[in-house]
Amino acid sequence: MKKFLSGILLIVSMVILSSIIGQVYKRNTSENQVEDISNKLIRFHVLANSDSKEDQELKLRVKDEIISFIQPKLKESKSIEESREILRENNERLIEIAMEVIKKNGYDYNVSAGLSKENFPVKVYGDIALPQGEYEAYRILIGNAEGQNWWCVMFPPLCFVDVTKGEVASDETKKELSKVLNNEEMDTVSKDKKIKVKFKLLEVIEDLINKK
């Protein structure tokens, strides 16, 4: 009963907080702005088979190997079209790499991958808050793909920025994004700290609910 009530409380909290964040965000972000931003980015998602500890650890191992392989190829990309073509050309190899990691760790999950358009909620990446909307994403689906995902921005190449490294990482992230976003769009994603804390809290609540 305690677990049930705890789950209900978390869900209610998430709904309330999500509503507050949504209202604040909508006041400062037009639909056209969101569309303009989403059309200039490619997100990268690796979806775990499940939320078990083992599957989540496997997801991170797959992510590490994929980034290690694709980093040199994407790092010098000058446009979203170029990045998109690089991903398409290397799609089969990326699937092979994921399968190799999975087999090496004693699993036999299938893997599918490719570019697709997906709807995503508000997400925080370091010092940046990406608005809710439809984004192009390169997604790697492991097994049932029913677990939490790991994500970053593949174009511009933010996957290679360690967002845990404070101000240096923040400056690098903004520098890369400013290459493709204009000043108004940068202002949209560079929300003030109070709002970012709320975004992060929402993510924590979502994670807690998913683990119930």
Side-chain angles (χ1 to χ4, degrees):
M1 179 60 73
K2 281 187 177 181
K3 287 186 177 180
F4 175 76
L5 293 175
S6 176
I8 293 296
L9 181 59
L10 283 171
I11 292 172
V12 172
S13 299
M14 188 184 81
V15 170
I16 294 173
L17 184 58
S18 179
S19 177
I20 293 171
I21 291 173
Q23 290 172 14
V24 173
Y25 214 80
K26 283 180 181 178
R27 284 202 296 268
N28 299 294
T29 309
S30 70
E31 288 185 8
N32 288 337
Q33 276 183 317
V34 173
E35 186 174 357
D36 288 343
I37 292 169
S38 65
N39 285 336
K40 295 177 179 179
L41 307 177
I42 297 178
R43 294 171 67 153
F44 176 42
H45 285 231
V46 181
L47 281 71
N49 177 67
S50 75
D51 278 329
S52 72
K53 180 182 177 182
E54 294 78 12
D55 282 344
Q56 288 295 312
E57 289 175 350
L58 180 63
K59 170 193 73 178
L60 296 178
R61 293 190 185 104
V62 169
K63 175 265 297 183
D64 288 341
E65 290 300 318
I66 292 295
I67 288 180
S68 178
F69 172 81
I70 205 68
Q71 175 178 5
K73 302 178 184 300
L74 287 176
K75 196 171 183 181
E76 303 304 322
S77 174
K78 298 298 189 294
S79 70
I80 192 168
E81 291 82 9
E82 185 179 344
S83 293
R84 191 180 291 127
E85 189 59 30
I86 289 170
L87 289 167
R88 285 173 176 158
E89 289 176 351
N90 289 277
N91 188 58
E92 288 188 15
R93 179 57 187 144
L94 292 171
I95 292 174
E96 288 176 359
I97 290 171
M99 291 292 294
E100 288 167 5
V101 174
I102 289 168
K103 289 180 180 178
K104 182 179 178 180
N105 283 273
Y107 298 90
D108 61 353
Y109 299 139
N110 290 325
V111 174
S112 60
L115 287 164
S116 62
K117 286 278 191 175
E118 304 289 338
N119 283 305
F120 297 108
V122 174
K123 280 291 186 178
V124 175
Y125 185 76
D127 210 29
I128 294 297
L130 293 182
Q132 177 180 342
E134 186 179 67
Y135 291 79
E136 184 172 16
Y138 184 77
R139 305 171 83 220
I140 294 181
L141 283 62
I142 301 173
N144 295 323
E146 294 177 348
Q148 296 179 65
N149 68 74
W150 182 93
W151 79 280
C152 67
V153 178
M154 197 166 258
F155 180 83
L158 302 186
C159 289
F160 320 123
V161 178
D162 185 348
V163 295
T164 66
K165 292 187 176 178
E167 195 62 34
V168 174
S170 174
D171 291 344
E172 189 175 351
T173 298
K174 290 176 181 177
K175 179 182 177 181
E176 289 296 328
L177 273 177
S178 66
K179 293 177 181 178
V180 298
L181 302 184
N182 61 37
N183 291 338
E184 186 178 4
E185 291 162 351
M186 282 300 299
D187 183 60
T188 297
V189 300
S190 301
K191 294 300 181 182
D192 64 65
K193 291 183 179 180
K194 287 184 179 179
I195 295 177
K196 282 181 190 149
V197 168
K198 290 178 181 178
F199 287 150
K200 203 62 187 176
L201 181 56
L202 179 57
E203 286 186 333
V204 170
I205 292 174
E206 287 177 332
D207 288 344
L208 288 172
I209 290 174
N210 289 331
K211 290 175 182 177
K212 290 294 176 184

